[in-house]
């Protein structure tokens, strides 16, 4: 007997020995990674970021939920379909994460599809809760107090004591299933309550005593485009118990119906089962999930957990994370920094999520009714692309490229099924929740780095987004195509007269112009590699459209009308409606593909550096939101590399920590964390689709990066972990270099990089024009 566990048939009892192979299947390893003596997974603290951020920039620039990382202490495989978390909030409402550290009541344990670190919605989720004594069923009434000292959170298990019920709860996970142990501290009546988390009063629950199951579903609804409309699928679940029920029933917000087995489409529905337990007795529960059907949820559960007990599943998941974390082994004096680093790496590998069942089944994209099959690959959903194209997907391209290839192909599958490449695809639907067209950037980065190939038919979808406007307004309204593309093509910028009404973020014309210019550049790189020289030239020209919203008089971007005049009222230090989630000064530096061109607009290096110095002196840098994540690295483009080294070191020390409030803003599907991972390694992808990384200097004394091709990249930086933040010199494979960037293809060939670090800046290293990273302007 055995089971398919992450694609490997594991015989009962093999446990950890076989689990060391899991990373190879899940993440495309070509060689089995040896489990090291040091357990890196022990450094991960999933509670980091679950409390409000306390950093200075978060308090100054963040608004509302922007001051919280919005992560939950997920127990999950990397990119798991369903993530398991304690629940302190019973809603799926936008911007409400399922767990907050500051809450004192646990309402249950959720099978969640919350986009980690976001301000979107959970969807298709379900919750179960163990109870002793009198039956309580509604989330707000059944909750139990808990103490953080009695809470243990890791990537592979979560444990907590439910004070009010004297119950110890434990959970672990597989790719699509959750496993639970509830140990009751009192002899007497025990219950487990199960409910779909529908805010709309919809869903279905059925108790099946004959098979010791509770099954059900929670219909998914859209937000942003088609707000409150059905998304065309549900989150299905099958809950199986290890013993027969003494009693059972269903309920809604009005009361309990004993010995009734089904209920649907009412507010607050759920089901419960009851048992008689002795003191210290444990009830085992397993939950299978699916986005296609109850039968498929049962099949997922059977394939992933059949005859694997809780401890084996927990150890398997522990080994999966251990092998992934060992892709980057860091050495240094600070244990706290290791916790921050490995927690960031964990957070980086939570989304997007695998959407298909064990047999490859998944509902077609964009509300289609057809069930499709992913074949031998996984199909991914929930791409927070305004955020993750910056560092998350480049990190996957470096560490786990075969997995990122499946993600990029999933995006092409969405285009094939819906007719348009999506902008910000969530809950398997089109949305235009955020600005830009950064699926193009993510795909181009993977293509330029040889992670994927692009067929001519796939390439047409990229061009379609850049050049075409939906002829059917309903298609545009539903989130297909670039917002305000007609204005952008006509004027070379989005004028203030275009309010961009069919978008969740209205206006924001200047930010759209800047981001489209970058996306056009990224696509020009793809066009060039595809041999499409005509479109490559057109797009490269459009990539300089940032000029059209830059005010030389203000040394800053500024709102502009269709007649060419800039808006009269102007304050670059405060938020403006033509800027996305920030100030004009913060967005001025969003020209990642052409910093040399921006230097020229500011009058040369001295003018650029004075302006950038002033920006930081005025406290304008806000690390808690993504548009500025490239800013700390920009001095490498202007002959002041030591300032980049200072800034990155300062940000790592002040915007991140190993405390529960140790993330300075929304983690946004791992982008905030991926920034830290790159910065700690000593380099950053300023302009994805350019196969280069801008150097800032490592945060650890030694890093060993095990690449998917089996090669090792060793980075030595003695003294870095003790505060030596300035690069004195650099050698690559023994050869001195003053280049202030690394080439991606050199790095994936492995080798040894030696940094000489110091306490004082070397103001001559890496400053010559020939030492600088790529810019579109030659």
């Amino acid at each position: 007997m055995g089971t398919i566990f992450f694609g490997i048939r594991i015989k009962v009892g093999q446990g950890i020995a076989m689990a060391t192979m899991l990373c190879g299947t899940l993440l495309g390893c070509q060689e089995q990674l040896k489990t090291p003596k040091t357990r890196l997974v022990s450094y991960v603290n999933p509670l980091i970021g679950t409390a409000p951020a306390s950093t200075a920039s978060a308090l100054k620039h963040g608004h509302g939920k922007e001051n919280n990382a919005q992560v939950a202490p997920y127990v999950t495989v990397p990119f798991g379909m369903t993530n398991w978390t304690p629940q302190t909030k019973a809603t799926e409402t936008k911007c409400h994460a399922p767990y907050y550290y500051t809450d004192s009541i646990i309402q249950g344990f959720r099978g969640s599809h919350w986009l980690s670190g976001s301000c979107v919605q959970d969807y298709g989720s379900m919750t179960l809760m163990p109870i002793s004594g009198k039956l309580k069923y509604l989330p707000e009434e059944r909750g139990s107090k808990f103490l953080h000292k009695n809470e243990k959170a890791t990537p592979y298990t979560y444990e907590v004591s439910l004070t009010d019920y004297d119950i110890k709860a434990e959970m672990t996970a597989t790719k699509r299933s959750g496993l639970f142990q509830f140990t009751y501290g009192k002899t007497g009546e025990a219950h487990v309550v199960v409910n779909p988390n529908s805010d709309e009063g919809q869903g279905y629950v059925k108790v099946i005593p004959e098979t010791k199951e509770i099954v059900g579903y929670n219909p998914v609804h859209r937000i942003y485009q088609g707000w409150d409309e059905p998304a065309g699928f549900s989150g299905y679940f099958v809950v199986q118990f290890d013993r027969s029920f003494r009693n059972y029933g269903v309920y809604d917000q009005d009361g309990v119906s004993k010995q009734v087995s089904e209920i649907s489409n009412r507010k607050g529905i759920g089901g419960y089962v009851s048992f008689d337990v002795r003191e210290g007795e444990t009830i085992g529960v397993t939950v299978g999930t699916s986005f296609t059907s109850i039968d498929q949820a049962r099949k997922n559960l059977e394939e992933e957990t059949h005859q694997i007990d809780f401890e084996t599943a927990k150890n398997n998941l522990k080994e999966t994370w251990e092998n992934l974390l060992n892709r980057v082994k860091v050495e240094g004096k600070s244990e706290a920094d290791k916790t921050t680093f490995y927690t960031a790496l964990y957070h980086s590998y939570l989304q997007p999520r695998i959407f298909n069942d064990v047999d490859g089944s998944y509902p077609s994209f964009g509300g289609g009714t057809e069930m499709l099959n992913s074949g031998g690959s996984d199909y991914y959903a929930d791409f927070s692309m305004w955020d993750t194209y910056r560092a998350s997907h480049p990190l996957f391209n470096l560490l786990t490229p075969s997995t990122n290839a499946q993600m990029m192909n999933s995006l092409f599958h969405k285009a094939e099924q819906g007719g348009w490449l999506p902008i910000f695809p969530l809950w398997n639907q089109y949305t235009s929740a955020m600005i830009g067209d950064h699926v193009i950037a993510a795909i181009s980065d993977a293509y330029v780095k040889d992670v994927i190939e692009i067929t001519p038919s796939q390439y047409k979808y990229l061009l379609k987004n850049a050049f075409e406007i939906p002829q059917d307004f309903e298609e545009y309204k539903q989130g297909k195509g670039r917002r305000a593309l007609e204005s952008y093509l006509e004027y070379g910028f989005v004028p203030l007269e275009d309010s961009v009404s069919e978008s969740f973020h209205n206006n924001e014309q200047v930010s759209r112009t800047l981001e489209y210019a970058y996306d056009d550049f990224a696509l020009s790189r793809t066009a060039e590699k595809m041999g499409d020289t005509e479109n490559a030239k057109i797009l490269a020209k459009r990539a300089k459209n940032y000029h059209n919203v830059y005010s030389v008089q203000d040394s800053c971007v500024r709102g502009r009308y269709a007649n060419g005049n800039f808006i009269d009222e102007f304050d670059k230090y405060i938020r403006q409606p033509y800027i996305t989630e920030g100030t004009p000064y913060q967005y001025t530096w969003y020209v990642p593909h052409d910093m040399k061109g921006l230097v020229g607009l500011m009058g040369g290096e001295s003018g650029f550096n004075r302006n950038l110095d002033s920006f930081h002196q005025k406290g304008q840098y806000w690390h808690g939101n993504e548009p500025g994540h490239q800013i700390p690295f920009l001095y490498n483009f202007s002959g002041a590399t030591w300032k980049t080294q200072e800034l990155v070191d300062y940000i790592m020390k002040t915007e991140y920590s190993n405390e529960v409030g140790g993330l300075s803003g929304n983690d946004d599907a791992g982008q905030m964390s991926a920034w830290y991972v790159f910065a700690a390694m000593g380099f950053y992808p300023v302009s994805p689709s350019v196969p280069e990384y801008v150097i800032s200097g490592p945060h650890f004394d030694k890093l060993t990066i095990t690449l998917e091709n089996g090669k090792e990249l060793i980075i030595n930086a003695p003294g870095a972990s003790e505060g030596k933040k300035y690069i004195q010199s650099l050698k690559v494979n023994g050869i001195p270099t003053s280049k202030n960037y690394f080439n991606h293809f050199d790095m994936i060939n492995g080798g040894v990089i030696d940094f000489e670090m110091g306490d004082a800046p070397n103001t001559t290293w890496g400053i010559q024009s020939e030492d600088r990273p790529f810019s579109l302007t030659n």
Side-chain angles (χ1 to χ4, degrees):
M1 295 293 291
T3 185
I4 298 296
F5 194 79
F6 301 140
I8 302 171
R9 183 166 293 281
I10 300 177
K11 294 181 180 178
V12 178
Q14 283 183 309
I16 297 174
M18 287 299 292
T20 57
M21 297 172 58
L22 295 178
C23 180
T25 298
L26 177 63
L27 297 168
C29 309
Q30 294 185 13
E31 294 185 3
Q32 178 178 322
L33 299 177
K34 295 180 180 179
T35 303
K37 295 179 181 179
T38 303
R39 306 297 292 178
L40 300 183
V41 73
S42 66
Y43 287 112
V44 178
N45 180 5
L47 293 173
I48 291 175
T50 60
S54 56
T55 66
S57 70
L59 296 175
K60 179 175 181 178
H61 297 292
H63 292 186
K65 286 295 189 342
E66 292 172 349
N67 282 340
N68 196 300
Q70 296 285 92
V71 296
Y74 278 160
V75 176
T76 182
V77 305
F79 312 123
M81 171 185 280
T82 301
N83 315 124
W84 302 92
T85 176
Q87 173 184 300
T88 65
K89 291 282 188 289
T91 182
E92 289 187 332
T93 302
K94 183 183 185 307
C95 287
H96 287 74
Y99 174 96
Y100 290 96
Y101 189 84
T102 50
D103 291 336
S104 60
I105 303 291
I106 284 180
Q107 303 168 336
F109 303 93
R110 182 182 291 198
S112 176
H113 307 116
W114 168 258
L115 185 71
S116 177
S118 73
C119 200
V120 295
Q121 64 171 351
D122 204 342
Y123 68 90
S125 70
M126 58 79 65
T127 300
L128 66 160
M129 177 67 173
I131 293 165
S132 63
K134 181 182 177 181
L135 174 64
K136 299 178 183 179
Y137 49 93
L138 295 178
E140 294 79 7
E141 298 172 359
R142 73 190 186 210
S144 170
K145 293 188 290 293
F146 74 105
L147 299 174
H148 291 300
K149 68 179 183 179
N150 296 327
E151 181 183 39
K152 178 184 177 182
T154 75
Y156 57 90
T157 188
Y158 176 89
E159 302 174 10
V160 70
S161 294
L162 301 176
T163 305
D164 293 355
Y165 300 121
D166 194 10
I167 296 173
K168 180 183 178 181
E170 304 169 84
M171 63 181 175
T172 190
T174 63
K175 191 183 292 189
R176 302 169 183 86
S177 304
L179 297 89
F180 298 83
Q181 291 188 152
F182 302 131
T183 302
Y184 291 77
K186 299 176 183 178
T187 297
E189 194 173 22
H191 318 276
V192 176
V193 176
V194 175
N195 64 274
N197 296 305
S198 173
D199 293 322
E200 293 81 14
Q202 297 180 353
Y204 172 77
V205 173
K206 182 178 182 179
V207 183
I208 312 175
E210 298 79 12
T211 56
K212 297 177 285 189
E213 290 181 334
I214 299 178
V215 304
Y217 58 81
N218 180 7
V220 180
H221 291 77
R222 304 174 71 184
I223 63 172
Y224 305 126
Q225 269 56 48
W227 202 296
D228 287 335
E229 293 177 3
F233 67 98
S234 297
Y236 298 91
F237 58 88
V238 172
V239 184
Q240 294 183 348
F241 297 84
D242 66 356
R243 65 196 63 199
S244 299
F245 313 147
R246 183 183 63 79
N247 209 338
Y248 67 90
V250 296
Y251 63 85
D252 61 16
Q253 65 180 3
D254 296 324
V256 171
S257 299
K258 294 182 179 181
Q259 297 291 308
V260 175
S261 61
E262 286 185 88
I263 192 168
S264 63
N265 297 330
R266 301 182 196 173
K267 283 282 188 180
I269 67 168
Y272 72 92
V273 293
S274 302
F275 314 89
D276 289 323
V277 296
R278 298 183 304 275
E279 179 182 348
E281 189 171 357
T282 299
I283 294 177
V285 184
T286 55
V287 185
T289 64
S290 171
F291 292 118
T292 58
S293 71
I294 289 173
D295 286 341
Q296 284 294 112
R298 187 180 288 109
K299 182 177 180 179
N300 291 341
L301 181 62
E302 174 74 11
E303 288 292 319
E304 293 183 354
T305 69
H306 182 57
Q307 293 192 8
I308 288 185
D309 63 18
F310 183 90
E311 288 300 317
T312 301
K314 183 172 75 171
N315 287 327
N316 287 344
L317 184 53
K318 184 177 183 179
E319 291 304 309
T320 296
W321 278 109
E322 185 69 23
N323 286 321
L324 173 59
L325 297 174
N326 263 278
R327 290 304 180 93
V328 187
K329 185 176 181 180
V330 302
E331 300 176 41
K333 304 296 184 183
S334 172
E335 294 296 289
D337 286 349
K338 292 178 184 177
T339 293
T340 305
F341 178 84
Y342 284 112
T343 302
L345 192 53
Y346 154 80
H347 279 143
S348 300
Y349 271 79
L350 296 177
Q351 255 87 52
R353 80 178 67 259
I354 293 166
F355 206 71
N356 57 281
D357 295 320
V358 290
D359 64 1
S361 300
Y362 69 93
S364 58
F365 181 70
T369 57
E370 185 180 3
M371 291 295 165
L372 303 176
N373 196 282
S374 61
S377 300
D378 281 322
Y379 171 82
Y380 290 82
D382 293 344
F383 290 82
S384 188
M385 267 303 175
W386 187 70
D387 313 288
T388 56
Y389 81 91
R390 304 168 198 265
S392 298
H393 287 288
L395 183 66
F396 306 156
N397 282 333
L398 180 64
L399 298 182
T400 51
S402 62
T403 299
N404 199 55
Q406 292 186 37
M407 294 175 183
M408 298 302 102
N409 284 323
S410 296
L411 293 166
F412 279 125
H413 291 326
K414 296 177 197 301
E416 292 160 0
Q417 294 162 33
W420 290 81
L421 199 67
I423 303 290
F424 197 83
L426 298 173
W427 36 93
N428 210 36
Q429 280 277 357
Y430 287 97
T431 85
S432 60
M434 296 301 297
I435 70 168
D437 192 5
H438 302 313
V439 167
I440 282 178
I443 288 174
S444 294
D445 191 53
Y447 180 56
V448 167
K449 292 175 179 173
D450 291 341
V451 172
I452 61 170
E453 292 297 324
I454 295 178
T455 67
S457 61
Q458 290 172 333
Y459 179 52
K460 289 179 181 179
Y461 288 113
L462 297 169
L463 294 178
K464 186 176 182 180
N465 268 37
F467 288 97
E468 297 182 31
I469 301 160
Q471 296 302 303
D472 182 350
F473 180 72
E474 187 59 31
E475 279 197 327
Y476 181 73
K477 187 177 178 181
Q478 289 296 317
K480 299 180 180 183
R482 287 190 188 182
R483 307 295 92 175
L485 179 61
E486 187 173 6
S487 294
Y488 178 75
L489 294 178
E490 180 176 356
Y491 299 101
F493 63 97
V494 182
L496 295 177
E497 289 91 342
D498 189 339
S499 64
V500 199
S501 58
E502 295 301 332
S503 179
F504 179 69
H505 280 242
N506 300 140
N507 299 307
E508 301 179 1
Q509 298 90 342
V510 169
S511 295
R512 293 179 195 278
T513 300
L514 294 167
E515 298 200 16
Y516 286 159
Y518 163 71
D519 292 325
D520 287 341
F521 164 78
L523 185 51
S524 77
R525 306 285 290 180
T526 291
E528 184 178 329
K529 187 176 178 181
M530 292 287 293
D532 183 2
T533 55
E534 180 180 355
N535 280 318
K537 289 178 181 178
I538 294 170
L539 291 161
K541 182 178 179 181
R542 282 167 47 173
K544 294 192 175 183
N545 281 345
Y546 69 91
H547 286 250
N548 299 332
V549 290
Y550 182 83
S551 169
V552 174
Q553 177 182 343
D554 302 296
S555 294
C556 187
V557 295
R558 187 169 177 172
R560 195 173 189 183
Y561 293 105
N563 64 8
N565 294 335
F566 286 106
I567 191 170
D568 291 332
E569 294 184 8
F570 182 65
D571 186 339
K572 66 182 180 182
Y573 299 109
I574 64 174
R575 290 194 176 199
Q576 302 290 351
Y578 49 81
I579 297 293
T580 301
E581 298 179 0
T583 70
Y585 212 1
Q586 290 165 346
Y587 247 98
T588 293
W589 313 99
Y590 187 82
V591 190
H593 57 292
D594 194 18
M595 293 314 303
K596 187 173 182 180
L598 186 61
V599 168
L601 288 178
M602 293 183 180
E605 289 179 14
S606 60
F608 179 91
N609 287 334
R610 281 196 306 271
N611 199 5
L612 191 51
D613 289 346
S614 177
F615 172 81
H616 289 291
Q617 290 162 4
K618 296 288 187 181
Q620 277 284 294
Y621 182 71
W622 177 23
H623 192 69
N625 206 13
E626 281 73 16
H629 275 188
Q630 78 286 352
I631 294 175
F633 302 89
L634 299 187
Y635 286 111
N636 280 35
F637 295 83
S638 61
T641 51
W642 68 94
K643 293 184 179 180
T644 282
Q645 296 153 32
E646 286 178 354
L647 272 171
V648 173
D649 181 77
Y650 175 77
I651 292 165
M652 293 181 71
K653 291 176 178 176
T654 59
E655 301 287 347
Y656 299 85
S657 79
N658 65 340
E659 302 295 327
V660 291
L663 277 170
S664 66
N666 292 177
D667 197 39
D668 286 318
Q671 165 58 28
M672 194 75 62
S673 292
W675 187 99
Y676 185 92
V677 172
F678 268 120
M681 293 192 294
F683 49 90
Y684 187 79
V686 165
S687 183
S689 75
V690 175
E692 294 178 354
Y693 305 96
V694 177
I695 296 171
S696 56
H699 197 60
F700 293 96
D701 299 335
K702 183 178 180 180
L703 300 98
T704 303
I705 302 173
T706 302
L707 300 163
E708 193 173 88
N709 59 15
K711 297 180 181 180
E712 278 191 347
L713 178 64
I714 297 172
I715 302 174
N716 297 309
S721 71
E722 298 176 280
K724 293 183 183 294
K725 59 178 175 280
Y726 295 106
I727 299 171
Q728 307 299 303
S729 64
L730 177 63
K731 293 181 180 179
V732 178
N733 294 325
I735 301 173
T737 181
S738 56
K739 300 287 186 187
N740 67 32
Y741 63 92
F742 293 130
N743 178 274
H744 172 79
F745 294 102
D746 292 340
M747 297 187 79
I748 62 173
N749 279 328
V752 179
I753 297 172
D754 291 300
F755 285 89
E756 180 188 358
M757 307 299 291
D759 294 317
N762 177 354
T763 58
T764 63
W765 180 83
I767 65 171
Q768 302 302 317
S769 58
E770 61 268 22
D771 294 327
R772 300 174 190 176
F774 173 90
S775 284
L776 180 60
T777 298
N778 294 321

